[in-house]
Amino acid sequence: MKYIIVTGGVLSGLGKGVTASSAGLLLQCAGYKVTAVKIDPYLNVDAGTMNPYEHGEVFVMTDGAEVDLDLGNYERFLRCNLTAEHNITTGKVYKKVIEKERHGDYLGQTVQIIPHIVREIVDGVKNAAKNAKADVCVVELGGTVGDIESMPFMEAVRLLGREEGRENVMFVHTTLIPVVGAVGEQKTKPTQHSVKELQGLGIRPDVIVGRSDEVLSEDIAAKIAFFADIPREAVISAPDVKTIYEVPLLFLEQGFPQLIEKRLGLKTKKPDVKQWRDFVDRISNGGEEVEIAIIGKYTSLKDSYISHEETLRYAGAVLGCKVKIRWIEAPDLEDSGSTKQLEGVNGVIVPGGFGNRGAEGKIMGARWARENQIPYLGVCFGFQLATVEFARNVLGLEKANSAELDPDGPHPVVDILPEQEGVVDMGATMRLGEHEIKVLDGKAKKLYGKDIIFERHRHRYEINPNYIERIEAKGMKYTGRDSSGRRMEILELEGHPYFVASQFHPEFKSRPDAPSPLHLGLVKAALDNKKA
Ligand code: GLN
């Protein structure tokens, strides 16, 4: 097993994830089996209870793990499915160690960060890599060198290097090269400091990836190489690019894969990036523009809906068009009492969400799309609220609502899942992960091209079976059901160009070469809407 450890210096948000996934993709294109582990040094056990406003989208994996959105990037770049063990958090590690201590596994010992916590981290990384049966495991260490939280993890990756052997573990350090002054000079000092800090922890970087506005000048690259004591070719430029998908191609031009292969004693193979290059061309070329509104609650932090954004891009690439997103803040829509903000869009997405704030705004969006024949895709909350809207305005059940929003209302058309009654803990207790869905005749079935599909879930509420007959009689059909047949998974509105919603989250399984069929259907319908 070979490991590539990616650390970050100077400040966070530099694109360690993109660095790690690009390196992984290039090795994958060279024929190696690659997997990824993301380390998050926070005390939450998982990302499930975190506010998307602070951390961005909560990504859900096949096994139901609720994880950091970086894991979504890995799944999309490496076109693979990862599991809970690929996201290691401080909370998860401590929980396990404390459970072991209570169980008596360390009987007689004083349980400490070193060696016990660090041991647990090293074993966690090794197990994830081994279970994925990978040749190479890319490990991204969240946070920045020098953070107190990341210290045990730094020690763990150092130990990993020691145990697995120098020839099997390499370190890639991503840092910022700021440009300052009137002449726009690239500065290496922050990088020098962070490399020194890393060295002080016993880690010698093998490659430095320098993030800057522009390509690093030759002088600057040579200077970094000198201070970090690495060859010049081990300093890689990562200038700003239009899309993150260009980064692997930039790394390839600079010989990054050969650098890794040499350092890790792998056979030099030429990565075949033709497919990836085609995808990048298609994504950058654009074509006709369609505009899709995303009505959400955390739209000022765009990463809150990153899987939808990426999926829409992929759908655009497949259909040869450019999808522009109009971000609509649901509480604003609600407060304004008008749908004016939506005018002119060719399609609407109401994504997943929780709670009362903005819910009425989302319902207004669903109604507007339904009444004006505008293509609509509802996901999870957007599926439930489309049902609420229909019950209110078509069935005439004025006070219809979701029990999540109005627990004592007369018409809970969306109700708590029976198995959720009495559940009090909030962490990892929803209906999560991949479940089978039977798809009945309709648009969704045509788009998927199959009648059995598997999609990922994250919800506590569902369509109340007592209302289904009445709703269907008025033309809203539930064309997707779980394997028992009693749980509704997809809805479609008859006589509308495209009004489709799902209880599951199709955006999580989207890949650059295979966008979610329901998003693809939406963009296709949006193109038709524009032409009409
Ligand atoms: N709040 C809704 C539920 O718990 C929808 C969840 C979601 O959109 N992910 O069922």
Side-chain angles (χ1 to χ4, degrees):
M1 183 70 61
K2 307 285 179 180
Y3 295 91
I4 302 173
I5 316 290
V6 180
T7 53
V10 184
L11 45 86
S12 63
L14 281 181
K16 286 191 297 288
V18 176
T19 298
S21 36
S22 299
L25 173 77
L26 289 170
L27 290 175
Q28 195 182 58
C29 289
Y32 293 104
K33 187 159 190 319
V34 180
T35 193
V37 170
K38 168 85 198 285
I39 293 177
D40 284 308
Y42 44 65
L43 272 164
N44 303 59
V45 171
D46 60 38
T49 55
M50 294 189 349
N51 188 345
Y53 205 78
E54 252 180 67
H55 285 271
E57 167 189 283
V58 176
F59 189 77
V60 181
M61 299 199 288
T62 303
D63 63 354
E66 299 168 279
V67 294
D68 188 271
L69 59 84
D70 280 326
L71 274 298
N73 263 338
Y74 288 118
E75 288 203 350
R76 290 186 283 264
F77 265 81
L78 302 177
R79 289 156 292 175
C80 64
N81 295 319
L82 301 172
T83 52
E85 60 180 4
H86 292 260
N87 191 195
I88 300 177
T89 67
T90 301
K92 218 182 258 180
V93 172
Y94 273 72
K95 187 166 177 270
K96 199 145 172 219
V97 169
I98 291 169
E99 275 164 12
K100 278 189 180 173
E101 185 275 330
R102 292 290 79 185
H103 186 250
D105 294 7
Y106 308 116
L107 228 45
Q109 299 175 38
T110 307
V111 183
Q112 290 176 301
I113 292 181
I114 298 172
H116 302 94
I117 293 289
V118 169
R119 178 80 264 143
E120 201 60 47
I121 299 167
V122 174
D123 290 350
V125 172
K126 285 186 187 173
N127 284 335
K130 194 174 93 214
N131 295 339
K133 299 195 175 61
D135 304 312
V136 182
C137 177
V138 186
V139 182
E140 177 193 349
L141 187 34
T144 309
V145 176
D147 292 347
I148 291 180
E149 302 65 43
S150 58
M151 286 302 181
F153 295 104
M154 288 289 172
E155 176 59 12
V157 292
R158 187 189 70 83
L159 189 62
L160 181 78
R162 208 181 137 77
E163 289 182 355
E164 294 291 294
R166 206 181 128 65
E167 66 288 4
N168 296 320
V169 181
M170 72 179 286
F171 293 93
V172 175
H173 191 53
T174 309
T175 102
L176 177 73
I177 318 291
V179 176
V180 287
V183 281
E185 212 183 334
Q186 292 177 324
K187 293 289 194 185
T188 65
K189 191 65 89 188
T191 299
Q192 293 181 39
H193 281 300
S194 89
V195 168
K196 220 180 237 164
E197 182 117 35
L198 201 58
Q199 286 167 341
L201 298 170
I203 295 169
R204 248 193 102 220
D206 298 293
V207 175
I208 305 257
V209 174
R211 282 282 296 114
S212 201
D213 304 356
E214 304 280 337
V215 171
L216 300 180
S217 75
E218 201 37 54
D219 283 4
I220 291 297
K223 194 167 167 187
I224 294 170
F226 178 79
F227 279 112
D229 196 19
I230 54 176
R232 158 65 188 93
E233 59 277 13
V235 178
I236 304 276
S237 267
D240 289 348
V241 277
K242 272 215 289 300
T243 86
I244 54 171
Y245 302 105
E246 291 169 41
V247 176
L249 301 175
L250 271 177
F251 283 0
L252 178 64
E253 278 168 26
Q254 299 176 67
F256 199 176
Q258 291 85 332
L259 210 65
I260 298 171
E261 287 163 343
K262 197 167 145 207
R263 171 64 180 77
L264 292 177
L266 293 163
K267 252 204 242 101
T268 314
K269 299 189 200 169
K270 203 170 152 32
D272 176 6
V273 293
K274 184 177 177 317
Q275 229 189 329
W276 191 264
R277 206 183 285 279
D278 286 350
F279 159 69
V280 174
D281 285 344
R282 267 183 289 123
I283 220 171
S284 339
N285 284 340
E288 184 163 8
E289 186 175 283
V290 289
E291 199 173 4
I292 307 273
I294 297 187
I295 308 180
K297 214 160 52 171
Y298 321 102
T299 56
S300 54
L301 180 76
K302 300 291 185 294
D303 278 356
S304 311
Y305 300 105
I306 186 168
S307 291
H308 283 287
E309 266 185 274
E310 299 311 299
T311 303
L312 289 174
R313 263 197 209 162
Y314 304 160
V318 168
L319 297 168
C321 66
K322 194 172 152 44
V323 182
K324 186 173 166 201
I325 298 175
R326 191 187 296 182
W327 296 101
I328 308 277
E329 207 32 48
D332 291 352
L333 203 61
E334 188 174 324
D335 292 345
S336 73
S338 148
T339 50
K340 226 181 152 98
Q341 293 182 60
L342 290 168
E343 273 165 27
V345 298
N346 311 109
V348 173
I349 293 182
V350 174
F354 296 84
N356 266 300
R357 200 172 65 84
E360 290 299 325
K362 294 175 184 176
I363 292 175
M364 282 166 69
R367 179 177 192 174
W368 179 81
R370 180 178 60 78
E371 292 182 341
N372 292 290
Q373 304 278 303
I374 306 292
Y376 175 87
L377 174 62
V379 170
C380 206
F381 207 32
F383 163 85
Q384 298 170 355
L385 294 179
T387 297
V388 169
E389 188 279 315
F390 194 80
R392 285 185 191 173
N393 301 313
V394 179
L395 267 60
L397 306 174
E398 222 182 289
K399 295 223 161 81
N401 214 332
S402 164
E404 176 183 1
L405 309 172
D406 182 6
D408 306 312
H411 293 294
V413 292
V414 176
D415 208 354
I416 188 109
L417 286 159
E419 68 269 30
Q420 287 283 329
E421 306 241 28
V423 172
V424 282
D425 279 352
M426 299 292 275
T429 55
M430 282 188 255
R431 179 174 181 246
L432 290 165
E434 200 158 276
H435 295 281
E436 182 185 290
I437 296 137
K438 290 204 172 83
V439 193
L440 313 177
D441 286 345
K443 288 194 176 90
K445 184 165 163 179
K446 276 211 193 87
L447 286 163
Y448 275 95
K450 323 180 199 173
D451 43 25
I452 300 277
I453 58 171
F454 293 85
E455 289 281 12
R456 302 182 190 176
H457 297 74
R458 182 172 187 245
H459 63 122
R460 256 189 205 102
Y461 295 82
E462 66 169 346
I463 306 302
N464 184 338
N466 300 332
Y467 290 88
I468 289 166
E469 224 173 284
R470 268 183 279 175
I471 294 172
E472 290 206 315
K474 292 280 187 191
M476 184 177 268
K477 303 283 186 203
Y478 292 96
T479 58
R481 313 205 165 190
D482 77 334
S483 39
S484 76
R486 78 165 281 295
R487 190 157 284 163
M488 301 303 113
E489 292 277 7
I490 303 175
L491 69 75
E492 298 181 26
L493 189 60
E494 283 178 342
H496 187 288
Y498 191 85
F499 195 98
V500 178
S502 61
Q503 181 60 75
F504 54 82
H505 290 265
E507 70 277 19
F508 292 145
K509 276 179 82 174
S510 270
R511 303 290 180 260
D513 49 355
S516 124
L518 299 188
H519 288 74
L520 198 63
L522 176 78
V523 176
K524 225 186 257 167
L527 273 168
D528 292 341
N529 170 274
K530 188 163 185 190
K531 286 187 191 121

